[in-house]
Amino acid sequence: MENLFKERLKKLRIQNDISQKELAESLHLSKGVISSYESGKSLPNCQTLILIAHFFNVSIDYITGVTLLTTNWRKTPTSLILLFPFMFTN
């Protein structure tokens, strides 16, 4: 399985104009840890993954590459799912 986490993490960090150092400090990690995540050399544990997802306000499914949606589709109003079902499928 392709490691989309590294790509999504870097994309989110850049979109939010945050340096690796700033992200690391916010999450109480080292810059080296963030760098190793973004290079694909390592993956975060579950607790850190949750912290990262919360920091960027995205779902764990999004940041790990399970879905293209940044939010949890289960929390999306049913009317939107019915009107635009193609947006809620992979």
Side-chain angles (χ1 to χ4, degrees):
M1 183 174 175
E2 185 180 349
N3 179 3
L4 292 178
F5 171 75
K6 65 181 183 178
E7 295 169 18
R8 298 264 169 99
L9 177 61
K10 186 172 184 175
K11 178 181 176 181
L12 287 166
R13 184 179 59 74
I14 291 170
Q15 283 177 340
N16 287 276
D17 196 29
I18 300 170
S19 69
Q20 285 184 343
K21 181 181 178 189
E22 291 168 328
L23 179 59
E25 289 173 354
S26 295
L27 299 173
H28 303 286
L29 301 170
S30 71
K31 180 185 173 291
V33 168
I34 300 299
S35 177
S36 71
Y37 292 163
E38 289 187 3
S39 67
K41 292 180 182 175
S42 67
L43 292 169
N45 62 29
C46 291
Q47 183 179 2
T48 305
L49 185 60
I50 291 167
L51 288 173
I52 294 169
H54 282 220
F55 181 85
F56 288 112
N57 196 31
V58 296
S59 69
I60 292 172
D61 284 352
Y62 173 77
I63 203 163
T64 57
V66 173
T67 183
L68 298 173
L69 300 173
T70 58
T71 58
N72 186 344
W73 66 269
R74 289 172 186 84
K75 294 181 181 178
T76 303
T78 305
S79 58
L80 285 178
I81 294 172
L82 293 174
L83 288 171
F84 307 103
F86 61 90
M87 293 177 59
F88 302 94
T89 58
N90 286 343

